[in-house]
């Protein structure tokens, strides 16, 4: 079901129904036995963190000839707490369901907890109906939350919109301002657009040029007194290198200055941005292992900088390969059914006991 010999850690799943079949087999077998199932391999009697599949050529300088499963040894120093953090803007995609499955497996085999956190700060697209649909699909697959909107817990609330109402993110942004890790930026949208166009014309990577990074405090105060709108930006350290030990890809490093500019934490209306919310929530909820799709890998550098500035420990990270269609593009509607609900309505069952016994 999985063709693993593909570049860039890709998993090729021939079509939508094949993706669904693999997902349901994984869910059924995971519930039916004490085996960890990763990709097309079954690893008996071991923890998820000790059996991580690495495909093809990895960022950890693994030999390109070694395309089989690699075993990464790690000693857990704190209780395992994993999370699945969907945005309720539509149905649960089969790729998201696979991510949730791996997070659930990691928590269960380490005797830890599986959390569900709803990232609903996109008020224009997030709906409570979509949230209920995603939660129902997770329950249908047997991926039951130990903490979350339905189960509750002592690290809640488990909706970002409710956490935002408490002033949590704004308070931590103020802490970063006071510690010198952030600053107020009064650039207008027109000024920022002009800077972006100028960078593109010069063939440079568009990023903020730090206009307000070391501004005169008196000028900043004057603008505050005048009621001018501002954003809060993170002050990216010069000469900084961020390195994470990814459970799938090995060590991954970024030259921060070359990669990103001073990025926004709070928008002009006080709304916190995605990377700020995620970093803060993972820390406050004591998430030990973040398992997510590889498309989030580039977000990690910003989140790591935020956590370090707030004096929080970084979690373990595992960035999974994408679920692809036959044409090696990301699985989408043009390949057929892509959501768990679609597969359910087409007659797929959440449990395949006869097949799981064979596995």
């Amino acid at each position: 079901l999985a063709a693993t010999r593909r570049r860039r850690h890709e998993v090729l799943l021939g079509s939508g129904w094949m993706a669904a079949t693999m997902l349901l087999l994984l869910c059924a077998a995971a519930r039916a036995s004490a085996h960890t199932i990763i990709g097309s391999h079954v690893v008996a009697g071991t923890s998820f963190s000790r059996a991580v599949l690495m495909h093809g050529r990895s960022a950890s300088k693994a030999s390109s000839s070694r395309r089989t499963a690699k075993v990464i040894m790690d000693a857990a120093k704190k209780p395992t707490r994993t999370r699945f953090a969907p945005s309720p803007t539509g149905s649960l995609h089969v790729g998201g369901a696979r991510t949730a499955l791996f997070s659930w497996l990691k928590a269960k085999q380490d005797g830890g907890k599986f959390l569900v956190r709803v990232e609903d700060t996109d008020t224009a697209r997030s709906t409570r109906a979509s949230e209920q649909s995603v939660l129902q699909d997770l329950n249908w697959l047997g991926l039951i939350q130990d903490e979350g909107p339905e189960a509750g817990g002592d690290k809640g609330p488990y909706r970002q919109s409710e956490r935002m109402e408490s002033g949590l993110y704004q308070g931590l942004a103020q802490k970063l301002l006071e510690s010198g890790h952030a600053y107020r930026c009064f650039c207008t949208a027109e000024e920022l657009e002009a800077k972006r166009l100028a960078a593109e014309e010069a063939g440079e990577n568009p990023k903020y040029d730090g206009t307000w990074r070391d501004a005169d405090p008196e000028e900043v105060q004057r603008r505050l007194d005048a009621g001018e709108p501002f954003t809060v930006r993170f002050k990216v350290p010069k000469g900084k290198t961020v390195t994470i030990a990814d459970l799938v890809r090995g060590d991954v490093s970024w030259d921060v200055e070359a990669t990103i500019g001073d990025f926004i934490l709070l928008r002009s209306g006080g709304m916190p941005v995605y990377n700020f919310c995620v970093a803060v929530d993972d820390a406050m909820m004591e998430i030990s292992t973040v398992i997510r799709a590889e498309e989030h890998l580039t977000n990690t550098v910003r989140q790591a900088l935020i956590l370090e500035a707030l004096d929080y420990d970084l979690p373990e990270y595992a960035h999974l390969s994408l679920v692809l269609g036959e044409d090696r593009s990301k699985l989408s509607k043009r390949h057929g059914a892509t959501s768990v609900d679609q597969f359910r309505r087409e007659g797929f069952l959440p449990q395949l006991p006869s097949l799981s016994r064979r596995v």
Side-chain angles (χ1 to χ4, degrees):
L1 293 175
T4 60
R5 289 191 282 272
R6 297 292 183 187
R7 300 183 299 179
R8 298 175 57 214
H9 320 280
E10 295 168 350
V11 173
L12 181 63
L13 302 175
S15 62
W17 72 266
M18 291 180 71
T21 302
M22 187 188 80
L23 176 66
L24 293 171
L25 277 167
L26 288 171
C27 289
R31 288 193 299 265
S33 71
H35 292 69
T36 299
I37 303 178
I38 305 173
S40 58
H41 298 263
V42 179
V43 182
T46 185
S47 70
F48 177 90
S49 60
R50 290 174 179 264
V52 180
L53 187 65
M54 297 178 68
H55 303 287
R57 184 176 301 169
S58 76
S60 63
K61 301 181 180 178
S63 170
S64 61
S65 64
R66 294 185 178 182
R67 300 180 184 274
T68 55
K70 303 291 184 182
V71 178
I72 295 178
M73 308 296 290
D74 85 294
K77 296 181 180 179
K78 55 184 178 181
T80 296
R81 291 171 62 83
T82 66
R83 51 82 162 171
F84 178 58
S87 296
T89 57
S91 300
L92 178 62
H93 188 277
V94 67
R98 187 188 64 159
T99 299
L101 170 63
F102 284 172
S103 296
W104 182 86
L105 279 170
K106 168 67 172 171
K108 294 305 155 186
Q109 294 201 341
D110 285 359
K113 291 188 176 182
F114 170 64
L115 285 68
V116 173
R117 183 177 72 225
V118 178
E119 298 184 343
D120 59 349
T121 52
D122 185 349
T123 55
R125 300 174 59 220
S126 297
T127 67
R128 192 55 63 90
S130 290
E131 175 188 320
Q132 289 303 311
S133 174
V134 170
L135 296 179
Q136 288 172 8
D137 287 342
L138 290 174
N139 290 337
W140 181 72
L141 289 170
L143 307 180
I144 307 302
Q145 59 186 250
D146 296 305
E147 295 180 28
E150 294 180 333
D154 59 1
K155 303 297 183 183
Y158 295 91
R159 294 185 182 91
Q160 281 187 343
S161 58
E162 295 174 0
R163 298 172 72 80
M164 187 171 61
E165 291 172 0
S166 70
L168 169 66
Y169 308 115
Q170 291 78 3
L172 289 174
Q174 182 61 37
K175 180 179 178 179
L176 291 173
L177 284 168
E178 293 170 356
S179 66
H181 288 98
Y183 61 92
R184 296 177 178 86
C185 170
F186 292 89
C187 288
T188 65
E190 293 76 17
E191 290 172 334
L192 293 174
E193 178 65 12
K195 294 176 188 291
R196 184 186 67 80
L197 292 174
E200 289 180 349
E201 290 176 1
E204 299 173 354
N205 180 33
K207 58 182 180 180
Y208 183 64
D209 61 3
T211 299
W212 286 89
R213 181 184 176 103
D214 298 307
D216 183 350
E218 292 185 0
E219 177 62 16
V220 171
Q221 190 59 52
R222 185 187 70 78
R223 299 216 178 198
L224 286 173
D225 293 341
E228 292 188 27
F230 62 88
T231 58
V232 175
R233 288 184 179 271
F234 187 88
K235 185 180 289 186
V236 173
K238 294 186 180 297
K240 176 77 171 179
T241 298
V242 168
T243 300
I244 64 165
D246 192 285
L247 294 176
V248 176
R249 287 161 170 74
D251 288 346
V252 183
S253 298
W254 294 268
D255 179 338
V256 176
E257 273 191 280
T259 306
I260 58 175
D262 293 349
F263 55 91
I264 293 176
L265 300 174
L266 297 181
R267 298 189 179 93
S268 57
M271 175 75 74
V273 302
Y274 169 79
N275 281 305
F276 188 36
C277 292
V278 169
V280 168
D281 289 346
D282 284 343
M284 301 295 284
M285 293 181 177
E286 299 180 1
I287 301 302
S288 64
T289 309
V290 173
I291 301 171
R292 57 190 180 188
E294 67 178 6
E295 58 196 356
H296 289 283
L297 185 61
T298 55
N299 290 326
T300 309
V301 61
R302 294 175 176 83
Q303 294 166 20
L305 289 170
I306 292 168
L307 291 171
E308 184 180 89
L310 291 171
D311 201 27
Y312 288 122
D313 293 333
L314 267 66
E316 291 180 318
Y317 290 100
H319 289 90
L320 307 176
S321 55
L322 299 178
V323 178
L324 306 181
E326 288 179 321
D327 58 359
R328 296 182 63 192
S329 63
K330 184 177 178 180
L331 189 68
S332 65
K333 291 181 180 179
R334 70 175 179 275
H335 297 106
T338 60
S339 73
V340 171
D341 184 58
Q342 283 177 290
F343 290 120
R344 179 185 61 79
R345 287 187 278 107
E346 289 180 7
F348 284 85
L349 301 176
Q351 299 182 35
L352 302 174
S354 61
L355 291 177
S356 66
R357 281 199 295 271
R358 280 195 226 164
V359 172

